Amino acid sequence: MHLYCVIDIGSNTIRLVIYTLEDGQLRQALSSKATAGLAGFVEDGALSEEGIERMLGVLRRFRGVLSLLPDCKVYPFATASLRGLSNTQDILERVERETGFKIDVITGREEAILDYRGAVGRMQERSGVLVDIGGGTTELVFFRSREVIAARSLPLGSLSLFNRFVSGVIPDKQELREMRAEAVKVISPALPPKGDYVCEPICAVGGTARAANELFIASGGGTDIIAMIIKKYSTEAGQRVTPPIFSARCSPRRRRGRASSCAAY
């Protein structure tokens, strides 16, 4: 049996996942995550000292876990959390010096493609759009017949939008309108030419999708409500969806006789 560890340093959360590989089968053995909110500590294009210390604190804890597994191969990487910062190289050198982790900062396109590769094995859909809303960016992968047509990484994230537009805890109506306008402005030019792709079903991955799914289930929401929202936004972005479909794979719960409509790969 072989052990492998992936450390994903995201803009909102930092996650450690350990897998076992035995008889050609990869299985998750351990998962741990911490909310660091690194996107909230970017000042003038650089991650602040407080943000760096937050990240280091989590990585030191993960190093303690991995010290018990000396034969585990470790693959740490960072996404928008460290991508494009003015002090990225200084941070990478400091992390390696203080924790021993050599972080690979992947590009937005690499992140989008890896999202798709990680989800495709569990998807029934052969064509559609894969969406990963992270803390700092959103990745879109358009695929047809299991072939990637286009992969986009957009500067829209749940945490970055919150920090830019929300003054309190819950956004008011004006703040929601401003966030929606920003999303439409960024998404519209990123769409491939009409006719080159299909925009349904929408398959969502990541923590934001899972949280949204659980929120709708807990609040008594259903497929009709989600379809109405996505159809409205997609129409504003220049692509009418009729009707949008969110696939439920990780959380195939039912409420009032209807399947949950949000993907959680």
Side-chain angles (χ1 to χ4, degrees), residues 113-129:
I113 295 298
L114 289 172
D115 280 336
Y116 177 74
R117 289 180 178 174
V120 68
R122 290 187 286 171
M123 293 192 311
Q124 294 179 353
E125 297 76 15
R126 298 189 60 80
S127 301
V129 183

Side-chain angles (χ1 to χ4, degrees), residues 81-98:
S81 56
L82 298 183
R83 193 164 56 220
L85 299 176
S86 62
N87 59 340
T88 296
Q89 190 57 41
D90 292 339
I91 294 171
L92 296 179
E93 293 173 0
R94 181 172 171 183
V95 168
E96 185 174 8
R97 185 170 61 249
E98 297 189 22

Side-chain angles (χ1 to χ4, degrees), residues 19 29 36 63-64 69 76 87 124 135 139 153 174 177 179 184 210 216 227 246 262:
Y19 297 92
R63 173 55 72 189
L69 303 168
N87 59 340
Q124 294 179 353
E139 278 62 52
S153 181
Q174 178 60 30
R177 284 193 292 267
M179 285 190 287
V184 171
R210 286 190 293 271
F216 274 105
F246 271 51
C262 182

Side-chain angles (χ1 to χ4, degrees), residues 62-74:
F62 287 170
R63 173 55 72 189
V65 172
L66 291 169
S67 67
L68 304 175
L69 303 168
D71 297 326
C72 184
K73 296 182 179 180
V74 184

Side-chain angles (χ1 to χ4, degrees), residues 39-59:
F41 294 93
V42 176
E43 302 171 357
D44 298 323
L47 187 63
S48 68
E49 179 63 24
E50 184 178 357
I52 295 172
E53 282 297 332
R54 274 179 168 254
M55 178 179 61
L56 285 170
V58 175
L59 294 178

